[in-house]
Amino acid sequence: MSADSDCDELSQDGLSRLGDCEVCAANKALYTCPKCEVKTCCLNCVRIHKKELECDGIRDRTKFIRMKDFTDTDLLSDYRLLEECARFVWGVKRDDKKRFTRIDKDLPIHLFKLKMAARQRGIVLQFLAQNFTRHKNNTTRYNYKSNLINWRVEWIFPNVDKEPIKYVDEKCPEQKKLSHLLDKYINCDVPFEGSKSLSFYKAAGISGLKILLKAEKVKGSAKKFFELDPSESLAENLSGKCIVEFPIIFIVLKDHAYNFEIITPEDEFEEIEANKLVKEIKQDNHSVNGITNEEKYIKENHRKRPRELLTEKIAKEKRMALEKEIKEERKKKPKNLLFTTGYSSEESLEDSDNESETEKS
């Protein structure tokens, strides 16, 4: 009976320690949320608190804990977290797919030649890591004997009945015009897979279409496109633009072109210049409101001065302290009452010597 009474007392102490339920406030709390530390009494209250506070009930292992509240359990939790991080890094190093990156790695010779050939044409060509699907599917090649690039091009037709249709050309010669490359999809009488869905495109013809290149490495590039000229070659259209692996070209009806944000390389240049101008204006406003340009120049020059050595600093401080002590001792000396000026004899002699020196000069 004594053991049962002790257990009852312990359970009552635990209930009183948690207090009332913070959700219903009708019963004593039985549980504490590991994440937000809300006290609850039953499963329904737990669900209500998770829904209202958007809590997942998972303890935050990186939560800040004060030193006075830090316990051995928290230390063990931190140690296990560091072990898990080390295990994750070790696993990534062992995995060839996750470990591989293009950073600080030399390109294979065929990709390097392709990149240099594209640069000569004014095209910024970039490659992804080997494990990316887009890199694996890329069939763009450079023939250094004929000095020609055969591009892999993805043609996307979004204005169809159902989902957008995508066609892929593994090798598109760069010297061919875009209109010639699109003839087999727009002006071809031979039926092919999905040709019936392109009836609107065939009715509009090349003149009723807009050819858009998906912008890469541009702020908000997911919604921005460059307009291409169908009367020019593929190389001329790609010049001055950034391409990641291979170009992705959208064929859009002119009536539906308002759904796409069409930009030009000049617009991007103007946007960059505008951002620079805004920064300069902010700097000028800052100089007007607070620090002037002269003060900024002085501060910059002061920062560029060589650091003072510690020995020189100590010697300087000792010299200043010695001079201060000498001045204080001079002040403590009794003044000569024979002089009505109120200065000490030594100070008067020093002044007279200074006056005589000035007269001689």
Side-chain angles (χ1 to χ4, degrees):
M1 292 296 290
S2 62
D4 294 337
S5 61
D6 292 339
C7 290
D8 293 338
E9 289 178 358
L10 290 173
S11 62
Q12 290 177 0
D13 291 339
L15 290 174
S16 61
R17 180 174 58 84
L18 293 177
D20 295 333
C21 177
E22 296 180 2
V23 178
C24 64
N27 303 318
K28 294 291 184 180
L30 298 174
Y31 314 106
T32 303
C33 178
K35 185 174 183 178
C36 57
E37 299 181 357
V38 172
K39 311 297 188 298
T40 53
C41 63
C42 59
L43 183 60
N44 291 331
C45 292
V46 172
R47 289 173 178 170
I48 291 170
H49 116 267
K50 284 186 176 181
K51 185 177 180 180
E52 290 182 351
L53 301 179
E54 297 180 355
C55 176
D56 54 5
I58 300 174
R59 184 173 65 87
D60 186 6
R61 301 176 70 179
T62 59
K63 183 180 178 182
F64 174 75
I65 302 174
R66 298 182 180 276
M67 285 297 297
K68 61 180 182 180
D69 300 329
F70 200 81
T71 60
D72 294 340
T73 306
D74 299 323
L75 178 62
L76 183 62
S77 175
D78 291 348
Y79 180 75
R80 288 174 177 170
L81 177 62
L82 294 175
E83 280 188 330
E84 290 180 9
C85 295
R87 197 179 303 116
F88 175 78
V89 173
W90 181 74
V92 169
K93 288 182 178 180
R94 284 176 56 90
D95 193 345
D96 293 335
K97 292 182 178 180
K98 295 179 180 178
R99 178 170 55 87
F100 191 86
T101 177
R102 286 281 182 217
I103 300 175
D104 297 332
K105 294 284 194 309
D106 294 332
L107 287 172
I109 185 65
H110 67 283
L111 293 182
F112 179 76
K113 288 183 177 180
L114 174 59
K115 187 174 182 179
M116 292 298 104
R119 182 177 294 178
Q120 290 176 359
R121 292 156 174 78
I123 304 170
V124 180
L125 181 60
Q126 296 184 354
F127 298 100
L128 299 174
Q130 284 185 351
N131 55 308
F132 280 77
T133 305
R134 191 169 175 180
H135 177 77
K136 292 178 180 178
N137 296 335
N138 189 10
T139 56
T140 302
R141 293 294 180 267
Y142 170 62
N143 189 343
Y144 60 91
K145 291 184 179 180
S146 59
N147 192 23
L148 291 176
I149 299 177
N150 293 320
W151 291 93
R152 173 192 170 94
V153 180
E154 289 188 357
W155 309 96
I156 298 177
F157 297 84
N159 304 128
V160 293
D161 296 335
K162 298 179 181 178
E163 295 181 357
I165 298 176
K166 181 175 75 173
Y167 296 102
V168 179
D169 286 341
E170 300 292 342
K171 293 182 179 180
C172 292
E174 62 175 350
Q175 73 274 17
K176 278 195 174 184
K177 294 182 179 181
L178 284 180
S179 56
H180 294 165
L181 294 173
L182 284 172
D183 278 342
K184 62 179 179 180
Y185 301 112
I186 306 300
N187 299 324
C188 184
D189 297 331
V190 180
F192 54 90
E193 185 180 357
S195 60
K196 293 182 179 180
S197 301
L198 301 179
S199 56
F200 294 109
Y201 289 94
K202 293 180 179 180
I206 295 292
S207 59
L209 303 177
K210 276 187 178 291
I211 305 174
L212 307 178
L213 173 69
K214 186 178 180 183
E216 302 283 0
K217 299 295 181 179
V218 175
K219 187 176 181 181
S221 59
K223 300 178 181 178
K224 292 183 179 181
F225 298 85
F226 295 110
E227 185 174 2
L228 305 181
D229 188 357
S231 62
E232 294 182 352
S233 65
L234 181 59
E236 291 172 345
N237 279 292
L238 297 182
S239 179
K241 300 174 182 66
C242 179
I243 304 296
V244 178
E245 295 290 346
F246 52 84
I248 300 175
I249 299 177
F250 285 70
I251 314 300
V252 185
L253 296 172
K254 284 187 177 181
D255 297 336
H256 297 267
Y258 62 88
N259 294 322
F260 299 84
E261 186 179 352
I262 301 174
I263 60 173
T264 60
E266 289 78 11
D267 294 339
E268 290 301 315
F269 178 75
E270 289 176 0
E271 186 177 351
I272 293 169
E273 292 296 325
N275 292 334
K276 289 182 180 178
L277 183 61
V278 169
K279 289 182 180 178
E280 290 177 359
I281 292 171
K282 287 182 178 178
Q283 289 178 359
D284 292 340
N285 292 336
H286 179 67
S287 64
V288 170
N289 295 331
I291 303 172
T292 60
N293 293 329
E294 293 180 357
E295 292 175 349
K296 186 177 180 182
Y297 176 78
I298 292 169
K299 285 189 174 183
E300 289 177 354
N301 292 338
H302 181 68
R303 290 175 186 169
K304 292 178 183 177
R305 290 178 183 174
R307 293 180 61 185
E308 190 177 22
L309 296 176
L310 184 60
T311 53
E312 294 178 357
K313 190 176 180 181
I314 293 172
K316 195 174 182 181
E317 290 176 355
K318 287 184 178 179
R319 197 183 308 112
M320 291 175 66
L322 185 61
E323 291 176 359
K324 190 175 180 181
E325 288 179 0
I326 292 170
K327 287 181 180 179
E328 289 178 355
E329 288 179 358
R330 286 180 177 177
K331 288 180 182 179
K332 290 179 182 178
K333 287 183 179 181
K335 295 181 180 180
N336 194 344
L337 298 178
L338 295 175
F339 296 92
T340 57
T341 56
Y343 296 101
S344 63
S345 59
E346 292 182 0
E347 290 176 351
S348 60
L349 289 172
E350 288 177 359
D351 293 337
S352 61
D353 292 337
N354 294 330
E355 289 177 356
S356 61
E357 287 177 1
T358 54
E359 289 177 355
K360 288 179 182 178
S361 60

